Amino acid sequence: MAVHNLAGWQHNHAYDSGNRAAERRTWIVVAITAVTMVAEIVAGYVTGSMALLADGWHMATHVVALSIAGIAYLLARRWATDERFAFGTWKIEVLGAFSSALLLAVVALAMAWESVHRLFTPESISFGPALVVAVIGLGVNLASAWVLGGDHHAHHEGHEGHEGHEAHEGHQAHEGHEAHEGHEHHGHDHADHAGHGHHDLNLRSAYMHVLADAFTSVLAIAALAAGLWLGWSWLDPAMGLVGAGVILWWSKGLLADSARVLLDREMEEPLVKEIRRAVEVDGDSEIADLHVWRVGRASHAAVLTIVAHHPRTPEEYRARLKCIASLMHVSVEVNECPHGDCP
């Protein structure tokens, strides 16, 4: 059996191996939220304040959700070079975002249930202590949002694997040779399909939990102030319903975006049309089968089956795709159709 040097045809599949900056910020926010949670629960038991206890346990759900985000970053980074992951570990982060979005939806539904219950069976509210708790909670959440926001819209660390298109030629009734070579892509995804993927879904999920808590704190402050000074006690559960509805809507968007990535639903993206235009530019070559999926925040993989009467080499087709910066892994099968229409 011949032994070949394959190093020139092999490449790293760790397209995104975590986000260290976001990971550090996430754990800082976990610590801030956990300390506040413990303080509120202890103070609630000592003072007998149900408002403090309720907000403390509510914060516990956010500690869990934020910890999911942090653990997802940690595992994606730790297993980045594990060859059992065919296209890297980035989807661990997306799975974390999906799980966190589910938890956010559960919290919203629990808020809605409790709000409806209190609308029909009103309970006495200690407006003063509850207002203090809401203000403290808002301060903590604004601080947490500031910590996370420093990296929320930035380009992320840990991008690896910006090399390595590979082409596998499968000529039928045509001259046969294989091309296995890598080349590097530098730059950012094109503007028409940059909207899906440059953002970090895992960081977005953590940010969403903090914003949701801040939003409910603002609503609570408004409702409690109205109850304290105007006697509108009904406004507290009403604002709870409004907050639950908005948070449920936010979680729906995050669930849809993360599920889209996890299920590889990419074939309606502008990138697909861009690949077809680049390959079929000669008027003879035609893509018979195409699969595109996301392997990183701004990285895609593609498998193409090309049919042509006068096929080009895999290197030529690969060269046509070099202008698409987000394509990090491409496999090409080329088939000749010598007479008339292909079957």
Side-chain angles (χ1 to χ4, degrees), residues 192-217:
D192 59 351
H193 51 79
H196 297 284
H198 269 288
H199 60 275
D200 184 329
L201 285 172
N202 197 37
L203 180 61
R204 179 181 158 196
S205 70
Y207 200 72
M208 198 75 73
H209 273 272
V210 170
L211 286 184
D213 222 11
F215 179 68
T216 55
S217 293

Side-chain angles (χ1 to χ4, degrees), residues 109-197:
L109 291 173
M111 285 176 57
W113 176 267
E114 181 65 19
S115 297
V116 170
H117 173 72
R118 292 201 176 195
L119 274 174
F120 289 101
T121 56
E123 298 179 12
S124 60
I125 302 173
S126 301
F127 290 106
L131 189 57
V132 171
V133 170
V135 171
I136 293 173
L138 178 60
V140 170
N141 288 309
L142 290 178
S144 299
W146 179 80
V147 171
L148 288 175
D151 194 58
H152 187 52
H153 297 290
H155 294 290
H156 305 296
E157 299 174 4
H159 280 212
E160 297 179 12
H162 280 254
E163 75 247 1
H165 271 44
E166 98 179 277
H168 304 283
E169 189 204 14
H171 280 199
Q172 297 174 2
H174 191 61
E175 63 178 11
H177 66 277
E178 293 186 358
H180 299 275
E181 56 184 85
H183 65 271
E184 294 189 0
H185 266 321
H186 296 286
H188 300 292
D189 201 356
H190 292 186
D192 59 351
H193 51 79
H196 297 284

Side-chain angles (χ1 to χ4, degrees), residues 5-318:
N5 182 6
L6 302 178
W9 287 266
Q10 295 172 336
H11 58 273
N12 191 347
H13 287 170
Y15 302 103
D16 278 303
S17 54
N19 184 343
R20 284 183 177 271
E23 183 181 345
R24 286 193 298 269
R25 287 180 164 89
T26 299
W27 287 120
I28 290 171
V29 172
V30 169
I32 293 171
T33 308
V35 168
T36 308
M37 174 198 74
V38 172
E40 287 190 347
I41 291 174
V42 170
Y45 277 115
V46 171
T47 63
S49 170
M50 283 305 299
L52 279 170
L53 278 175
D55 198 62
W57 289 115
H58 174 71
M59 276 198 163
T61 62
H62 293 292
V63 171
V64 172
L66 292 164
S67 296
I68 289 173
I71 292 170
Y73 282 130
L74 176 66
L75 295 179
R77 177 167 52 82
R78 179 169 294 178
W79 293 337
T81 57
D82 191 328
E83 294 182 356
R84 292 175 297 177
F85 294 89
F87 288 95
T89 57
W90 173 68
K91 283 190 176 179
I92 294 176
E93 298 178 27
V94 183
L95 184 60
F98 183 83
S99 303
S100 192
L102 278 178
L103 185 56
L104 191 64
V106 170
V107 170
L109 291 173
M111 285 176 57
W113 176 267
E114 181 65 19
S115 297
V116 170
H117 173 72
R118 292 201 176 195
L119 274 174
F120 289 101
T121 56
E123 298 179 12
S124 60
I125 302 173
S126 301
F127 290 106
L131 189 57
V132 171
V133 170
V135 171
I136 293 173
L138 178 60
V140 170
N141 288 309
L142 290 178
S144 299
W146 179 80
V147 171
L148 288 175
D151 194 58
H152 187 52
H153 297 290
H155 294 290
H156 305 296
E157 299 174 4
H159 280 212
E160 297 179 12
H162 280 254
E163 75 247 1
H165 271 44
E166 98 179 277
H168 304 283
E169 189 204 14
H171 280 199
Q172 297 174 2
H174 191 61
E175 63 178 11
H177 66 277
E178 293 186 358
H180 299 275
E181 56 184 85
H183 65 271
E184 294 189 0
H185 266 321
H186 296 286
H188 300 292
D189 201 356
H190 292 186
D192 59 351
H193 51 79
H196 297 284
H198 269 288
H199 60 275
D200 184 329
L201 285 172
N202 197 37
L203 180 61
R204 179 181 158 196
S205 70
Y207 200 72
M208 198 75 73
H209 273 272
V210 170
L211 286 184
D213 222 11
F215 179 68
T216 55
S217 293
V218 170
L219 293 180
I221 289 170
L224 293 169
L228 181 62
W229 288 301
L230 300 176
W232 295 354
S233 57
W234 57 268
L235 194 58
D236 184 65
M239 285 298 192
L241 275 176
V242 171
V246 173
I247 293 170
L248 200 58
W249 181 259
W250 288 349
S251 66
K252 175 179 173 291
L254 184 56
L255 280 170
D257 288 345
S258 52
R260 176 194 187 95
V261 175
L262 292 172
L263 297 175
D264 297 322
R265 183 185 159 189
E266 300 288 339
M267 298 308 295
E268 62 187 12
E269 286 296 294
L271 174 63
V272 173
K273 293 181 179 179
E274 193 172 347
I275 292 171
R276 289 189 180 278
R277 282 196 303 267
V279 170
E280 298 175 350
V281 66
D282 58 17
D284 177 39
S285 303
E286 186 174 354
I287 295 178
D289 191 37
L290 175 62
H291 301 275
V292 178
W293 66 99
R294 196 177 299 277
V295 294
R297 283 183 283 275
S299 305
H300 294 81
V303 175
L304 301 83
T305 298
I306 301 172
V307 177
H309 291 97
H310 305 287
R312 310 300 175 94
T313 66
E315 290 83 358
E316 290 179 87
Y317 288 120
R318 217 180 30 234

